[in-house]
Amino acid sequence: MDLKGKTAFITGGGSGIGLAMAEAFGRAGMSVMLADVDEGALNAAVERLEGLQIRAASVRCDVTERAAVEAAAARTVETFGKVHVVCNNAGVGAGGPLDQIAHADWDWVMAVNVMGVVYGLESFLPHIRAHGEGGAFVNTASMAGMVSAPGMEPYSATKFAVVAMSEGWAEQLAPENIGVSVLCPGFVKTRIDQSGRARGEKFGGPKALGPVDVNGPVQNGIDPGRVGERVREALERGERYIFTHPDMRPAIEMRFQRIMAGFDDAAASPALAGMDYTSPTFDPVALLKAES
């Protein structure tokens, strides 16, 4: 994908990975619309981008509200004429012992990390289809969407969902020259460990923040700038899975080994012995077209 002269929309764009993607896209000649719930961060981010001679604008957007995302989509087209790349990047984290996670924590993480991505695709897809020039969605998942860590089940569940949705959407939209990529970073030096600062009232309101753990894995993660550049090059190359931590490959291979072992157990299962059944194979895109 040639990015020069095109427009990107980025949620969670006021800081961290979102702002880093905006800088990388801007250096490639794109215009960027930043969206975030933190207006102060948005204003500072736009000022920073303009100082780098990047054409930028911002819109406050709560991705848990479908109408807000639809309004942000309309604002983006009104401002820049067209939109080509949509980065559904806003994300929050919550976890803990399985019997101590509040219902509001589950509701909050699901609303931001899953439904925020759904609303982003549904709201922007008609605008991308309208200009007929193709485009791309980049949905931010995590390595937690590939391997689930104990104590992080709410977060991991949402990130596995983002991977699954992205894989299905990629197959559906490929014939329209609209790519769908899923970004799966490991630890990045962002403020994800302080995401409760912007928690909406309907999910219990902002949570009191403790001191930043300067020795923790987040604050010792890689620089967001590397992630932004990684996403840029992945878009230009048409990559579906965007990984940023190649040293985490063994963890994925271990999970796959356990899954394959499960299939080995099924193949040797007395309960399934002699079963005369073959699972159907099908083209999911063709099946969807036939049903419609």
Side-chain angles (χ1 to χ4, degrees):
M1 184 176 185
D2 182 7
L3 303 181
K4 188 174 182 179
K6 294 184 171 64
T7 297
F9 172 86
I10 306 169
T11 63
S15 62
I17 292 174
L19 180 54
M21 287 193 289
E23 292 186 16
F25 295 168
R27 286 191 292 268
M30 298 189 79
S31 300
V32 293
M33 174 67 86
L34 303 181
D36 207 299
V37 293
D38 187 338
E39 290 188 272
L42 276 178
N43 293 335
V46 170
E47 183 177 352
R48 175 183 175 87
L49 294 175
E50 289 178 340
L52 297 172
Q53 305 302 308
I54 294 171
R55 188 181 181 206
S58 68
V59 57
R60 187 186 183 281
C61 180
D62 180 350
V63 299
T64 69
E65 300 287 347
R66 185 192 300 271
V69 182
E70 291 174 344
R75 177 78 171 275
T76 303
V77 174
E78 177 184 334
T79 302
F80 294 112
K82 299 176 183 178
V83 61
H84 302 85
V85 175
V86 176
C87 297
N88 293 308
N89 171 72
V92 296
L98 60 90
D99 56 352
Q100 296 178 26
I101 301 174
H103 292 170
D105 289 345
W106 277 101
D107 294 342
W108 177 52
V109 177
M110 288 289 180
V112 176
N113 295 2
V114 177
M115 297 313 300
V117 175
V118 173
Y119 297 156
L121 182 127
E122 291 180 343
S123 299
F124 280 87
L125 181 58
H127 294 290
I128 295 177
R129 281 173 165 166
H131 59 61
E133 298 173 5
F137 289 87
V138 178
N139 301 321
T140 300
S142 168
M143 286 302 291
M146 294 286 168
V147 179
S148 181
M152 288 301 295
E153 288 79 11
Y155 183 72
S156 295
T158 64
K159 296 308 184 179
F160 267 79
V162 172
V163 171
M165 293 189 299
S166 299
E167 290 176 339
W169 290 335
E171 295 296 332
Q172 292 195 55
L173 294 176
E176 301 180 52
N177 192 30
I178 300 173
V180 181
S181 301
V182 60
L183 171 61
C184 295
F187 291 111
V188 182
K189 192 172 183 178
T190 65
R191 300 176 70 189
I192 185 69
D193 54 346
Q194 303 171 58
S195 54
R197 71 190 185 280
R199 185 166 172 159
E201 293 297 333
K202 62 184 176 180
F203 302 113
K207 297 187 69 174
L209 301 177
V212 175
D213 184 2
V214 296
N215 296 314
V218 173
Q219 293 307 311
N220 285 279
I222 69 172
D223 186 271
R226 286 189 177 272
V227 182
E229 284 296 324
R230 178 74 186 95
V231 174
R232 177 199 56 75
E233 70 178 11
L235 277 173
E236 292 175 340
R237 297 174 180 176
E239 298 175 19
R240 183 170 295 187
Y241 299 93
I242 308 175
F243 293 109
T244 62
H245 290 62
D247 64 330
M248 297 186 76
R249 181 173 184 148
I252 304 301
E253 291 176 335
M254 182 178 295
R255 177 171 181 261
F256 287 170
Q257 288 171 5
R258 290 171 177 167
I259 292 172
M260 291 300 103
F263 277 101
D264 291 341
D265 292 340
S269 168
L272 302 179
M275 182 169 62
D276 185 17
Y277 177 80
T278 301
S279 297
T281 59
F282 58 89
D283 178 345
V285 175
L287 181 64
L288 285 167
K289 289 181 178 179
E291 291 179 346
S292 63

